[in-house]
Amino acid sequence: KNEQQVYIDLISFKATDFGKVAIEMNFVEVEELVSALADQQTHEDDARIGEILQQKGVLSLHQVDLILQETQQRKNISQLELF
């Protein structure tokens, strides 16, 4: 396994579909996602990982939208596979 895959394995129990897709689309580095996940734990409100990454200047609003679209498409495909 390469280093990035090891990091993904380590955080996969915590990473959202959004985070995994963001890494796969090469919009964020693993370290940036780990940092945002840590920040998410300290937020009192229900901050979403995409909002945190956008606030940090890692993602643009357009990138967040693209990731959300891809995440939704994957969910739709996996639901279709159940039938």
Side-chain angles (χ1 to χ4, degrees):
K1 289 184 179 182
N2 64 29
E3 184 176 335
Q4 185 171 8
Q5 185 59 48
V6 171
Y7 276 117
I8 291 171
D9 289 347
L10 288 172
I11 64 170
S12 64
F13 70 97
K14 238 177 135 176
T16 61
D17 290 338
F18 182 95
K20 291 174 188 175
V21 170
I23 289 172
E24 290 171 13
M25 294 178 79
N26 294 315
F27 287 157
V28 299
E29 298 292 325
V30 173
E31 294 81 9
E32 293 169 324
L33 178 59
V34 170
S35 174
L37 287 168
D39 289 350
Q40 189 179 39
Q41 297 302 310
T42 62
H43 280 259
E44 292 181 14
D45 57 359
D46 292 330
R48 295 176 184 246
I49 199 70
E51 293 171 354
I52 294 170
L53 288 165
Q54 188 180 355
Q55 289 169 356
K56 289 175 159 265
V58 175
L59 293 176
S60 68
L61 181 57
H62 179 68
Q63 288 171 314
V64 171
D65 288 340
L66 290 173
I67 295 165
L68 290 172
Q69 289 172 17
E70 178 65 22
T71 302
Q72 187 59 49
Q73 284 181 339
R74 291 181 186 194
K75 286 180 183 176
N76 291 343
I77 289 170
S78 67
Q79 289 175 351
L80 288 174
E81 291 173 350
L82 295 175
F83 294 104

